[in-house]
Amino acid sequence: MVLAAGFGRRMRPLTTTTPKPLIEVAGKALIDHCLDGLAEAGIGKAVVNVHYLADLVEAHLSRRRQPQVLISDERAKLLDTGGACIKALPLLGEGPFLIRNSDSFWLEGVRPNLRWLIDGWDEKEMDGLLLLASTVASAGYSGRGDFVLGKDGRLERRLERTVAPFAYAGAAILSPRLFDDPPEGAFSLNVLFDRALEKGRLFGVRLDGLWINVENPEAIRAAELAILESAA
């Protein structure tokens, strides 16, 4: 599941006429950085949700061959990250699925991150397994972090007015169990992450490499510099 429906308000004025997933970084649209990574990991099908400037996103995706793209149409109502997954569940099937944000990607380290994430999934223990990036080994990120990672892989939220070592890197494996008895309409996945945290069923693995988070126009330059430096 690739989340690509938002307005990209922090990316204005670039998103006035271009949907955020089609903003280019180093000559490639953000969503193609994401989908190319999925294809390289051997993932053959991706569900992409659309809302803002949806026709442009669909036209762009229609030219892709790998992975095969299915559209979850939210033109009528934007559903936020959690509501988007609920709407897309019939397309995603009955088992656990990988979810990606379309506005972040990474430069791989020694260990392929999606394979590491998939291999780390434990159906009995987990409702969610999140890929986490070190806040000090990232480009374009200026937040205080999201999670503390326990020795057993379980996650805890960053306490208010503190700094946490890890940020959610925009990739996770989620169980359909996570969506039992969901809120109605539009809601954030964070609501369900918090439920899983309370049950001790939200886990994380550390990203190997450099995470690139493209939230605003300034972050594009930081991302392109990081890519250039990695190729040097």
Side-chain angles (χ1 to χ4, degrees):
M1 174 79 189
V2 178
L3 298 170
F7 289 102
R9 291 187 175 94
R10 285 176 289 184
M11 192 63 82
R12 289 177 177 171
L14 298 179
T15 49
T16 303
T17 57
T18 303
K20 187 176 181 182
L22 301 191
I23 297 293
E24 291 192 355
V25 172
K28 183 189 292 189
L30 280 168
I31 198 165
D32 287 328
H33 282 285
C34 174
L35 291 169
D36 287 350
L38 296 180
E40 290 168 8
I43 293 169
K45 183 182 295 185
V47 177
V48 180
N49 70 328
V50 297
H51 174 79
Y52 178 61
L53 299 176
D55 291 349
L56 295 180
V57 179
E58 281 201 76
H60 181 87
L61 294 175
S62 69
R63 298 191 288 271
R64 290 197 62 98
R65 295 296 175 262
Q66 291 294 329
Q68 176 191 1
V69 174
L70 304 177
I71 298 296
S72 180
D73 194 333
E74 295 180 26
R75 283 176 173 86
K77 183 180 180 181
L78 188 62
L79 295 171
D80 206 338
T81 53
C85 291
I86 295 293
K87 181 177 176 60
L89 282 177
L91 298 174
L92 292 166
E94 298 180 356
F97 62 91
L98 178 72
I99 187 166
R100 285 289 313 273
N101 292 348
S102 62
D103 60 357
S104 67
F105 57 99
W106 53 81
L107 304 179
E108 297 280 13
V110 175
R111 179 181 72 208
N113 285 293
L114 290 184
R115 177 48 53 191
W116 181 248
L117 190 67
I118 292 167
D119 289 347
W121 177 254
D122 186 332
E123 178 68 18
K124 293 182 180 179
E125 292 286 332
M126 301 174 179
D127 287 342
L129 178 62
L130 279 54
L131 187 65
L132 304 176
S134 167
T135 56
V136 297
S138 62
Y141 180 76
S142 58
R144 294 185 175 185
D146 301 311
F147 295 103
V148 175
L149 179 63
K151 291 182 179 179
D152 62 354
R154 284 185 169 86
L155 297 182
E156 296 180 8
R157 283 278 189 195
R158 175 180 65 83
L159 297 176
E160 190 175 355
R161 299 180 182 178
T162 66
V163 175
F166 296 105
Y168 173 49
I173 295 176
L174 306 180
S175 169
R177 283 190 303 270
L178 193 66
F179 301 92
D180 291 344
D181 191 28
E184 294 184 4
F187 68 94
S188 170
L189 273 173
N190 280 307
V191 174
L192 304 185
F193 287 171
D194 286 342
R195 289 183 185 178
L197 282 168
E198 291 175 1
K199 298 175 183 177
R201 295 185 61 84
L202 191 68
F203 289 72
V205 296
R206 183 171 181 167
L207 182 147
D208 185 20
L210 180 70
W211 180 49
I212 297 176
N213 186 50
V214 189
E215 291 186 343
N216 51 50
E218 293 75 23
I220 295 175
R221 179 61 177 163
E224 291 179 335
L225 282 173
I227 292 170
L228 282 173
E229 289 173 359
S230 72

